[in-house]
Amino acid sequence: MALIECRQLTRTYRRGNEEITPLRDLDLDIESGGFVALMGPSGSGKTTLLNLLAGIDRPTAGTLSVAGKPVHNLPRRALANWRSAHVGYIFQLYNLIPVLTAYENVELPLLLQSLSRSERHDRVATALEAVGIEDRHEHYPRQLSGGQEQRVAIARAIVTEPTILLADEPTGDLDRQSATSVMELLAQLNSEQGRTIVMVTHDPRTTEWADTVLHLEKGRLVEQAVGSERP
Ligand SMILES: Nc1ncnc2c1ncn2[C@@H]1O[C@H](COP(=O)(O)OP(=O)(O)OP(=O)(O)O)[C@@H](O)[C@H]1O
Ligand SMILES: [Mg+2]
């Protein structure tokens, strides 16, 4: 059984009389421990799919199971609890909270869980160390470089030890060197901690760290082995 199973997953957006269906009847299996890169033109539904996998949004039709548990039909509160336990989400623009320090930003998702203060402290310190930010605990986001902000955002996404790590263009706003170091970090979380990763990317260079590259086009997925497009 695959860790993530999508069957005929469909999402339709309605605005007035207009209907858009960026995802239609999508079938997708992602194995535990996989590192999937998701590519496709702007507007092809990549973020829509990621948001469904994250339980941030719900499908209009079809089913989504993670680790054998149906997620698509969970009531709102149960879905929020499921998300808090199983999903780490990394955004393109980090989305750190400006008035909180690096430490407090990473601690935030743990406040939804029943952990003691000292357990929280250990988890936050471990996550910040894993991303190489152990010496910036008291810094605010504006006092960090873009690459460091993204590392803090990754620490925030992994601090809950999620089942799946979702990333929407995690290197989209970074220079080449910071992008490479963020990709190496994701690859390490995948290979050493066994985190299953689904990453949206526009940059073909970032796909060399993935084991599967999926192309989304007009609601259809085309799977390719890594390297098959290279000369
Ligand atoms: N909340 C919404 N309401 C209405 N339409 C939406 C909504 N969210 C997305 N869409 C539409 O769904 C389509 C897919 O959007 P999506 O954000 O998934 O694209 P994407 O592949 O992530 O694109 P990009 O590479 O530009 O980020 C677009 O046509 C978009 O306008
Ligand atoms: Mg997008």
Side-chain angles (χ1 to χ4, degrees):
M1 186 184 67
L3 178 70
I4 301 173
E5 289 186 347
C6 305
R7 293 292 174 269
Q8 300 197 295
L9 204 61
T10 300
R11 180 63 168 106
T12 298
Y13 292 115
R14 244 175 231 105
R15 246 193 13 206
N17 292 330
E18 205 186 349
E19 265 195 9
I20 307 172
T21 303
L23 285 184
R24 193 187 292 277
D25 295 335
L26 187 100
D27 290 335
L28 173 62
D29 284 343
I30 296 173
E31 300 298 329
S32 178
F35 189 162
V36 174
L38 184 60
M39 302 191 80
S42 185
S44 60
K46 303 181 297 295
T47 298
T48 302
L49 175 57
L50 221 54
N51 288 345
L52 292 177
L53 297 179
I56 292 172
D57 189 17
R58 292 152 182 276
T60 311
T63 63
L64 164 66
S65 301
V66 178
K69 182 184 172 74
V71 173
H72 56 276
N73 54 6
L74 285 178
R76 192 164 291 278
R77 178 171 286 268
L79 185 65
N81 289 339
W82 175 82
R83 188 167 62 230
S84 141
H86 292 283
V87 178
Y89 204 117
I90 302 161
F91 301 90
Q92 175 177 354
L93 292 173
Y94 332 130
N95 276 3
L96 296 178
I97 299 188
V99 297
L100 299 182
T101 63
Y103 182 95
E104 291 164 341
N105 265 283
V106 176
E107 187 184 30
L108 205 54
L110 293 182
L111 298 176
L112 299 170
Q113 302 185 356
S114 48
L115 293 171
S116 71
R117 196 186 165 84
S118 77
E119 283 171 320
R120 279 207 309 274
H121 178 270
D122 290 349
R123 296 271 284 271
V124 174
T126 303
L128 282 167
E129 192 185 330
V131 301
I133 296 285
E134 55 270 58
D135 56 348
R136 296 282 194 281
H137 284 200
E138 300 310 320
H139 284 59
Y140 289 91
R142 66 171 186 281
Q143 300 170 327
L144 299 169
S145 72
Q148 287 168 340
E149 279 191 83
Q150 190 57 303
R151 286 171 173 276
V152 173
I154 292 172
R156 180 181 56 184
I158 61 173
V159 75
T160 55
E161 300 180 354
T163 313
I164 51 179
L165 198 51
L166 305 171
D168 200 349
E169 295 190 58
T171 62
D173 210 46
L174 298 178
D175 62 59
R176 174 90 354 238
Q177 198 181 341
S178 304
T180 299
S181 98
V182 161
M183 287 311 303
E184 283 168 354
L185 173 58
L186 289 177
Q188 188 191 345
L189 292 169
N190 175 249
S191 62
E192 291 174 17
Q193 293 189 11
R195 301 270 170 245
T196 304
I197 300 180
V198 184
M199 168 186 78
V200 169
T201 181
H202 275 117
D203 180 357
R205 279 174 292 198
T206 63
T207 63
E208 72 183 77
W209 282 275
D211 54 50
T212 307
V213 183
L214 299 173
H215 291 262
L216 200 53
E217 214 147 325
K218 292 176 191 157
R220 282 200 57 208
L221 273 173
V222 188
E223 188 169 346
Q224 288 179 324
V226 169
S228 62
E229 269 188 337
R230 301 223 173 96

